[in-house]
Amino acid sequence: MLKTRILTALVLLAVLLPILYFNHFLAFAVVVSCFFGAAIWECFRLFNPGTRMAPVIAAFWTAAFVYAFFVSPSTNTTFWFAISVLVWALRFAPSLKLGLPPLTSAGNTFLSLAYAIAVVGCFAAIVTLFSYSPLYLLSVMAIVWVADIFAYFSGKAFGKRKLAPSISPGKSWEGAIGGGIAVLVIACLSIVLGSDLMEQTFAGRVQASLGWGALVAVLILIVAASVVGDLFESQLKRRAGMKDSSNLLPGHGGVLDRVDALVPVLPLAALIGAWL
């Protein structure tokens, strides 16, 4: 399994890094559209396990996404970011405490559409953040990756109080706090010790525009959103009786398994970026 995970990761890096380094928009559009279609397909499978309509639905949503954000990019992306943030704040985050409706209920259909909209917001944010610069997009994603890596090691070393035992028994409050502290320390040191390049990153732009206090608040909010996104997808998989959202990425599960924490984070970061 470890060899499979490493091989898959190397293949993904071989595809994605040249696109980001050379800032090739057409290749970027193709890759993002493929990943979006896969994520939407997995989304509707999580809400309707065993359905045969998921590929058809995914194809329709992907065609609409490509037209709205690549072919005729006049869509009000800020609207999608705001809607995504509201959906997470008002419906998805509370569900971690209140639970989800049964798979057979009418509320499940509404929830599936809401999550699909959140996925649209996430990938629309990828397009927008990439348009600022590939570095700006990577700097937002790096916040989530750093939080996740250090949360794992902090949880292993100090974890005692379970964060959400009925959803993800392995996650702890100590791990989440450790991940947040690591993000704050690394971001602040990078800005203080970094070059002019830091002004092109998300954290650097927030600090330059709003100051250190606002940067700390924004980073804590971003880390909290990433934890919510991770837990929410785990909750969906538990309810659907699935270990992974799919097996599209050997050794890693599905696309949603890799971007679950990014789904709420990227629209939030894009909304903050638009405001700045």
Side-chain angles (χ1 to χ4, degrees), residues 136 201-212 214-215 218 272 276:
Y136 193 90
T201 66
F202 175 76
R205 191 167 297 181
V206 171
Q207 189 277 327
S209 301
L210 303 176
W212 289 103
L215 174 64
V218 167
I272 293 171
L276 291 176

mmCIF file of all heavy atoms in Angstrom, residues 136 201-212 214-215 218 272 276:
data_model
loop_
_atom_site.group_PDB
_atom_site.id
_atom_site.type_symbol
_atom_site.label_atom_id
_atom_site.label_comp_id
_atom_site.label_asym_id
_atom_site.label_seq_id
_atom_site.Cartn_x
_atom_site.Cartn_y
_atom_site.Cartn_z
ATOM 1 N N TYR A 136 0.234 31.729 -5.309
ATOM 2 C CA TYR A 136 -0.834 32.145 -4.405
ATOM 3 C C TYR A 136 -1.756 30.957 -4.094
ATOM 4 O O TYR A 136 -2.121 30.726 -2.941
ATOM 5 C CB TYR A 136 -1.634 33.276 -5.049
ATOM 6 C CG TYR A 136 -2.568 33.996 -4.101
ATOM 7 C CD1 TYR A 136 -2.138 35.106 -3.387
ATOM 8 C CD2 TYR A 136 -3.881 33.569 -3.928
ATOM 9 C CE1 TYR A 136 -2.988 35.779 -2.518
ATOM 10 C CE2 TYR A 136 -4.737 34.235 -3.062
ATOM 11 C CZ TYR A 136 -4.290 35.338 -2.366
ATOM 12 O OH TYR A 136 -5.130 35.980 -1.509
ATOM 13 N N THR A 201 2.038 35.591 -1.627
ATOM 14 C CA THR A 201 1.326 34.484 -1.000
ATOM 15 C C THR A 201 0.084 34.990 -0.272
ATOM 16 O O THR A 201 -0.042 36.189 0.006
ATOM 17 C CB THR A 201 2.223 33.748 0.001
ATOM 18 O OG1 THR A 201 2.523 34.627 1.099
ATOM 19 C CG2 THR A 201 3.509 33.277 -0.665
ATOM 20 N N PHE A 202 -0.800 34.078 0.066
ATOM 21 C CA PHE A 202 -2.026 34.440 0.769
ATOM 22 C C PHE A 202 -1.712 35.061 2.125
ATOM 23 O O PHE A 202 -2.202 36.145 2.456
ATOM 24 C CB PHE A 202 -2.898 33.198 0.935
ATOM 25 C CG PHE A 202 -4.139 33.420 1.748
ATOM 26 C CD1 PHE A 202 -5.231 34.083 1.212
ATOM 27 C CD2 PHE A 202 -4.213 32.974 3.066
ATOM 28 C CE1 PHE A 202 -6.378 34.299 1.963
ATOM 29 C CE2 PHE A 202 -5.348 33.181 3.817
ATOM 30 C CZ PHE A 202 -6.436 33.842 3.269
ATOM 31 N N ALA A 203 -0.890 34.376 2.930
ATOM 32 C CA ALA A 203 -0.567 34.882 4.267
ATOM 33 C C ALA A 203 0.148 36.222 4.191
ATOM 34 O O ALA A 203 -0.132 37.142 4.973
ATOM 35 C CB ALA A 203 0.284 33.861 5.024
ATOM 36 N N GLY A 204 1.073 36.349 3.246
ATOM 37 C CA GLY A 204 1.801 37.602 3.109
ATOM 38 C C GLY A 204 0.893 38.756 2.729
ATOM 39 O O GLY A 204 1.051 39.877 3.231
ATOM 40 N N ARG A 205 -0.087 38.488 1.872
ATOM 41 C CA ARG A 205 -0.988 39.552 1.447
ATOM 42 C C ARG A 205 -1.933 39.962 2.577
ATOM 43 O O ARG A 205 -2.232 41.146 2.748
ATOM 44 C CB ARG A 205 -1.779 39.104 0.220
ATOM 45 C CG ARG A 205 -2.551 40.222 -0.447
ATOM 46 C CD ARG A 205 -3.053 39.826 -1.807
ATOM 47 N NE ARG A 205 -1.959 39.541 -2.733
ATOM 48 C CZ ARG A 205 -2.142 39.185 -4.003
ATOM 49 N NH1 ARG A 205 -3.364 39.063 -4.487
ATOM 50 N NH2 ARG A 205 -1.114 38.951 -4.789
ATOM 51 N N VAL A 206 -2.390 38.984 3.346
ATOM 52 C CA VAL A 206 -3.260 39.303 4.490
ATOM 53 C C VAL A 206 -2.507 40.156 5.500
ATOM 54 O O VAL A 206 -3.015 41.166 6.007
ATOM 55 C CB VAL A 206 -3.791 38.013 5.152
ATOM 56 C CG1 VAL A 206 -4.508 38.347 6.464
ATOM 57 C CG2 VAL A 206 -4.750 37.288 4.220
ATOM 58 N N GLN A 207 -1.266 39.763 5.804
ATOM 59 C CA GLN A 207 -0.479 40.506 6.789
ATOM 60 C C GLN A 207 -0.170 41.927 6.301
ATOM 61 O O GLN A 207 -0.277 42.896 7.066
ATOM 62 C CB GLN A 207 0.824 39.750 7.072
ATOM 63 C CG GLN A 207 1.624 40.300 8.239
ATOM 64 C CD GLN A 207 2.505 41.481 7.841
ATOM 65 O OE1 GLN A 207 3.004 41.542 6.712
ATOM 66 N NE2 GLN A 207 2.680 42.432 8.765
ATOM 67 N N ALA A 208 0.160 42.046 5.024
ATOM 68 C CA ALA A 208 0.492 43.365 4.488
ATOM 69 C C ALA A 208 -0.721 44.292 4.466
ATOM 70 O O ALA A 208 -0.589 45.501 4.660
ATOM 71 C CB ALA A 208 1.056 43.211 3.072
ATOM 72 N N SER A 209 -1.904 43.720 4.262
ATOM 73 C CA SER A 209 -3.111 44.534 4.152
ATOM 74 C C SER A 209 -3.771 44.817 5.492
ATOM 75 O O SER A 209 -4.285 45.911 5.721
ATOM 76 C CB SER A 209 -4.127 43.841 3.232
ATOM 77 O OG SER A 209 -3.594 43.635 1.941
ATOM 78 N N LEU A 210 -3.738 43.833 6.389
ATOM 79 C CA LEU A 210 -4.538 43.934 7.612
ATOM 80 C C LEU A 210 -3.722 43.886 8.898
ATOM 81 O O LEU A 210 -4.257 44.189 9.966
ATOM 82 C CB LEU A 210 -5.587 42.815 7.635
ATOM 83 C CG LEU A 210 -6.553 42.764 6.439
ATOM 84 C CD1 LEU A 210 -7.459 41.554 6.552
ATOM 85 C CD2 LEU A 210 -7.375 44.037 6.353
ATOM 86 N N GLY A 211 -2.476 43.464 8.829
ATOM 87 C CA GLY A 211 -1.658 43.409 10.025
ATOM 88 C C GLY A 211 -1.557 42.021 10.624
ATOM 89 O O GLY A 211 -2.221 41.073 10.190
ATOM 90 N N TRP A 212 -0.727 41.925 11.680
ATOM 91 C CA TRP A 212 -0.439 40.620 12.287
ATOM 92 C C TRP A 212 -1.634 40.024 13.012
ATOM 93 O O TRP A 212 -1.878 38.819 12.944
ATOM 94 C CB TRP A 212 0.738 40.756 13.253
ATOM 95 C CG TRP A 212 2.038 40.982 12.571
ATOM 96 C CD1 TRP A 212 2.718 42.161 12.459
ATOM 97 C CD2 TRP A 212 2.818 40.005 11.877
ATOM 98 N NE1 TRP A 212 3.884 41.986 11.742
ATOM 99 C CE2 TRP A 212 3.974 40.668 11.381
ATOM 100 C CE3 TRP A 212 2.663 38.646 11.637
ATOM 101 C CZ2 TRP A 212 4.957 40.013 10.648
ATOM 102 C CZ3 TRP A 212 3.648 37.979 10.911
ATOM 103 C CH2 TRP A 212 4.771 38.659 10.428
ATOM 104 N N ALA A 214 -4.845 40.353 12.405
ATOM 105 C CA ALA A 214 -5.786 39.809 11.431
ATOM 106 C C ALA A 214 -5.247 38.536 10.801
ATOM 107 O O ALA A 214 -6.001 37.587 10.547
ATOM 108 C CB ALA A 214 -6.081 40.852 10.355
ATOM 109 N N LEU A 215 -3.930 38.489 10.552
ATOM 110 C CA LEU A 215 -3.332 37.282 9.980
ATOM 111 C C LEU A 215 -3.544 36.087 10.893
ATOM 112 O O LEU A 215 -3.937 35.006 10.436
ATOM 113 C CB LEU A 215 -1.843 37.497 9.736
ATOM 114 C CG LEU A 215 -1.071 36.251 9.267
ATOM 115 C CD1 LEU A 215 -1.575 35.784 7.915
ATOM 116 C CD2 LEU A 215 0.432 36.528 9.216
ATOM 117 N N VAL A 218 -7.214 35.040 10.742
ATOM 118 C CA VAL A 218 -7.548 34.402 9.465
ATOM 119 C C VAL A 218 -6.974 32.997 9.384
ATOM 120 O O VAL A 218 -7.649 32.057 8.943
ATOM 121 C CB VAL A 218 -7.039 35.267 8.287
ATOM 122 C CG1 VAL A 218 -7.079 34.480 6.974
ATOM 123 C CG2 VAL A 218 -7.881 36.524 8.160
ATOM 124 N N ILE A 272 -11.864 35.987 1.002
ATOM 125 C CA ILE A 272 -10.991 36.930 1.707
ATOM 126 C C ILE A 272 -10.083 37.645 0.704
ATOM 127 O O ILE A 272 -9.871 38.864 0.773
ATOM 128 C CB ILE A 272 -10.154 36.197 2.773
ATOM 129 C CG1 ILE A 272 -11.070 35.667 3.881
ATOM 130 C CG2 ILE A 272 -9.096 37.130 3.359
ATOM 131 C CD1 ILE A 272 -10.378 34.742 4.863
ATOM 132 N N LEU A 276 -9.792 41.622 -0.074
ATOM 133 C CA LEU A 276 -8.531 42.353 0.031
ATOM 134 C C LEU A 276 -8.229 43.139 -1.233
ATOM 135 O O LEU A 276 -7.646 44.218 -1.191
ATOM 136 C CB LEU A 276 -7.375 41.385 0.323
ATOM 137 C CG LEU A 276 -7.349 40.728 1.699
ATOM 138 C CD1 LEU A 276 -6.219 39.733 1.783
ATOM 139 C CD2 LEU A 276 -7.227 41.769 2.794
#
